[in-house]
Amino acid sequence: MNYKNIKLKSLAVKTLFAGTLFLSACDNGFEEMNTNPNAYTTPVIGSLFSTSIIKTAGDGDNNTLYANDKLSGCFVQYFSSLNPWQWTGDKYLYKQDYNKGLFETAYSSELKETAQIISLVKDNPEMSNHYAVARIWRVFILHRVTDMYGDIPYSQAGLGYIDATYKPAYDSQDQIYASMLAELEESALALDPAKPTFGSADFLYNGDAAKWKRFAYSMMLRLGMRLTNADVAMAETWVKKAIAGGVMQSNDDIARLVHTGGSANNWNVNSYLLQGGEGVPPSAQGKGYSKLSKTFIDYLKATADPRLPFYATLWQGNADASKLPQTSAPAVQKGLPSGYDYTTIKDLIPNWTDDMQAEFSEININTIAALAAPTIFQSYSEVSLLLAEAALRGWTSDNVKTRYENAVKASMEIQSIYPGGVTITPAAITAYLTANPFKTGTMEEQMKQIHNQFWASSFMNNIEVYANWRRTGYPQLTPTNYPGNETGGVIPRRLRYPESEASLNREAYSAAVAKQGPDLFTTRVWWDK
């Protein structure tokens, strides 16, 4: 026993008692005197929410260029590359930084402020709208993670910032989906237009509770439809709930973050990174690492799609926008075949020289990949296509053709909110729909047309397109089979967990792998039947 410590504790108690008596007789302004008037003592809720939106739109390479473009964008053959270790998704190769990027950024960055908001406002009835919106946003953040990896920490996600839960358990994806859908329903029903919201700190809807409600139900539609192969009855139930609740009605309802081109603080991070050294820097004069895939370009050309100049250009147009009328013309676009490198491309094109790279199309950095291009989290075009599928399944009395055509119009009209001055006239839209009409046929034939359009309409929302491709199988893609690839020449079905999870959160990681299956690109997530 340490008697010295006992004496010290006894002395401390006596001193504290004496000090208490002394303070009771003194001025009661002691606390104010010891408060820094220039420091925040409580979190600024609005700033926390703004920060979470910005981080989710782009917090560096990890949740933009890596997950969205180099992996998802290559898996669905929007992009291709001759560089096997910069654009690994084109060849199904494993690179730890790319693979772990979305997982680690979601938990360490995107979710942080949202978790804090939920903890601070959940018991405050006057801030019920803040709580509802934060919960909707939490679902958005985590649904991308579970779709890419499968079983993940969900119920305990973000608690490390609240109660030091540093080794969260993994929830199974079926439980995660049930929870996400319930959270969306509860949050949508709780939104009250008579109560305050985040106001101008809400960069998506400027505090409009009605638009957040439509976003919640539109997300419910997305997630409900994701379940068609795993639990069709559950899918039908939630899709019908979403439609009854009220989904997006027009392009005015899209969930987007507006960017500006002037200050680096306001740039579209994904666009900025694509314009850098790993994408399509104009200084590379057409020899950058990133090209648009032959699969994508050929489809757009075959259907005479008027979005092609908005999506694509030759490098000269990216270097000098005044040349775009010539360099973005459909006739000169040429996509790079997927799955080749600087050597093997010579087997396909015997007279190949490196200078020939300049002949292949790049993403247009003046329009869809401009620094001021908006980040689209969910579009009305997507919602309309999912409504077309719901009608096709007999879950609504809607006209499938009308919903399909609404989606095409919305996708083509939305280009007016992007920089670059590209517009598609009503006459051009009509001409496209006339040349590519929605055809009646078998359910599978109509599914093919709906989801080929999903692919053509949703370029640069690549994470979502990759999830939709895994669910529907459309577009029908020919896999690559690059030497040494991780999948045996099949398109990956998920990403692997970060290697750090196996060491720092071993028990939870091991339980997830035991339940879900091997931690490989080829292991399917629960809804991917």
Side-chain angles (χ1 to χ4, degrees):
M1 181 176 291
N2 191 327
Y3 292 98
K4 182 178 179 181
N5 282 345
I6 292 175
K7 290 179 179 179
L8 288 173
K9 289 178 181 177
S10 176
L11 178 60
V13 172
K14 292 177 181 178
T15 303
L16 178 61
F17 179 70
T20 302
L21 292 176
F22 174 76
L23 287 173
S24 66
C26 293
D27 189 297
N28 62 3
F30 182 79
E31 183 177 346
E32 295 177 5
M33 290 169 58
N34 284 274
T35 300
N36 181 354
N38 298 314
Y40 289 112
T41 57
T42 57
V44 179
I45 301 295
S47 295
L48 290 175
F49 189 59
S50 300
T51 299
S52 183
I53 291 174
I54 292 169
K55 285 182 175 180
T56 305
D59 194 29
D61 302 78
N62 285 329
N63 65 344
T64 54
L65 186 66
Y66 294 169
N68 196 59
D69 306 332
K70 290 187 174 185
L71 295 177
S72 298
C74 286
F75 294 160
V76 298
Q77 296 179 12
Y78 285 140
F79 294 106
S80 58
S81 177
L82 296 178
N83 188 309
W85 291 111
Q86 284 291 343
W87 286 73
T88 58
D90 182 52
K91 298 166 180 63
Y92 319 148
L93 302 174
Y94 173 74
K95 190 170 184 177
Q96 183 181 176
D97 285 350
Y98 296 176
N99 181 86
K100 71 180 182 179
L102 180 65
F103 190 102
E104 292 192 346
T105 304
Y107 290 108
S108 67
S109 181
E110 295 179 11
L111 195 62
K112 180 180 179 181
E113 287 77 16
T114 303
Q116 291 175 302
I117 294 168
I118 290 172
S119 175
L120 289 166
V121 306
K122 64 181 180 179
D123 296 321
N124 185 342
E126 293 305 309
M127 302 189 80
S128 58
N129 280 347
H130 299 77
Y131 180 50
V133 167
R135 293 179 76 196
I136 295 166
W137 193 240
R138 182 181 188 272
V139 169
F140 180 85
I141 291 169
L142 289 174
H143 97 279
R144 299 198 305 175
V145 185
T146 187
D147 286 345
M148 289 293 268
Y149 296 90
D151 295 358
I152 59 166
Y154 184 82
S155 58
Q156 296 181 348
L159 295 185
Y161 302 108
I162 308 303
D163 62 11
T165 302
Y166 297 131
K167 295 184 178 182
Y170 282 51
D171 299 280
S172 60
Q173 193 177 65
D174 59 333
Q175 296 171 333
I176 293 169
Y177 259 75
S179 295
M180 290 192 299
L181 288 163
E183 285 199 71
L184 289 172
E185 182 177 37
E186 291 167 9
S187 300
L189 292 172
L191 284 166
D192 184 350
K195 287 186 177 181
T197 64
F198 289 106
S200 60
D202 167 12
F203 293 158
L204 266 65
Y205 293 121
N206 200 36
D208 189 326
K211 288 188 180 295
W212 271 101
K213 180 169 288 193
R214 287 178 188 166
F215 180 39
Y217 282 120
S218 298
M219 281 294 300
M220 186 186 294
L221 175 65
R222 173 190 281 185
L223 300 186
M225 201 63 82
R226 194 88 85 227
L227 306 180
T228 51
N229 297 330
D231 188 334
V232 69
M234 182 179 178
E236 181 178 357
T237 295
W238 284 104
V239 166
K240 286 181 174 179
K241 281 188 179 185
I243 295 169
V247 296
M248 294 180 187
Q249 300 298 305
S250 71
N251 279 341
D252 289 339
D253 293 330
I254 61 174
R256 61 168 169 155
L257 175 63
V258 176
H259 300 281
T260 58
S263 168
N265 292 329
N266 296 325
W267 287 347
N268 182 310
V269 173
N270 200 27
S271 297
Y272 167 69
L273 293 167
L274 276 170
Q275 294 184 28
E278 298 176 19
V280 290
S283 60
Q285 298 185 339
K287 298 180 183 179
Y289 298 148
S290 172
K291 294 292 181 179
L292 293 179
S293 171
K294 174 177 170 61
T295 308
F296 190 43
I297 294 295
D298 284 358
Y299 179 84
L300 297 173
K301 291 182 73 171
T303 55
D305 197 312
R307 289 167 291 201
L308 184 53
F310 176 72
Y311 292 156
T313 181
L314 299 182
W315 76 267
Q316 294 92 340
N318 278 338
D320 181 355
S322 68
K323 297 180 179 179
L324 281 174
Q326 295 78 41
T327 63
S328 64
V332 301
Q333 303 310 314
K334 183 165 64 171
L336 181 71
S338 298
Y340 293 88
D341 63 22
Y342 296 105
T343 300
T344 59
I345 191 69
K346 296 175 184 177
D347 298 330
L348 182 70
I349 306 175
N351 63 340
W352 176 266
T353 67
D354 286 346
D355 288 340
M356 293 173 67
Q357 291 178 73
E359 300 172 10
F360 292 88
S361 301
E362 300 179 344
I363 191 170
N364 193 333
I365 67 172
N366 302 280
T367 53
I368 193 169
L371 297 177
T375 296
I376 306 293
F377 298 110
Q378 189 176 28
S379 69
Y380 172 59
S381 174
E382 175 199 323
V383 169
S384 294
L385 288 168
L386 295 179
L387 291 174
E389 181 181 341
L392 179 61
R393 291 178 177 274
W395 295 349
T396 74
S397 58
D398 283 353
N399 183 281
V400 182
K401 180 175 181 287
T402 299
R403 287 296 187 185
Y404 174 85
E405 291 182 347
N406 285 347
V408 172
K409 292 174 184 176
S411 172
M412 294 186 179
E413 290 170 353
I414 203 175
Q415 291 167 31
S416 62
I417 71 173
Y418 285 79
V422 175
T423 58
I424 297 178
T425 65
I429 297 173
T430 299
Y432 175 82
L433 289 170
T434 300
N436 303 278
F438 187 78
K439 301 174 182 177
T440 58
T442 66
M443 179 173 179
E444 203 54 43
E445 289 170 337
Q446 292 179 75
M447 281 285 288
K448 177 179 179 179
Q449 190 163 0
I450 290 168
H451 292 287
N452 280 352
Q453 187 60 232
F454 194 111
W455 179 62
S457 299
S458 304
F459 182 39
M460 292 310 290
N461 198 353
N462 308 334
I463 290 174
E464 179 57 28
V465 174
Y466 174 49
N468 195 64
W469 171 81
R470 284 178 285 162
R471 178 179 74 87
T472 66
Y474 296 115
Q476 294 170 315
L477 303 171
T478 301
T480 66
N481 196 12
Y482 188 77
N485 72 81
E486 295 282 325
T487 67
V490 297
I491 299 172
R493 309 303 297 196
R494 65 181 285 272
L495 299 186
R496 289 164 53 181
Y497 296 120
E499 293 178 13
S500 58
E501 284 293 289
S503 57
L504 300 179
N505 195 13
R506 174 174 290 276
E507 184 176 345
Y509 166 84
S510 298
V513 171
K515 181 180 184 300
Q516 179 169 267
D519 189 11
L520 301 172
F521 284 166
T522 50
T523 296
R524 294 179 181 237
V525 302
W526 167 71
W527 54 254
D528 181 17
K529 306 295 187 185

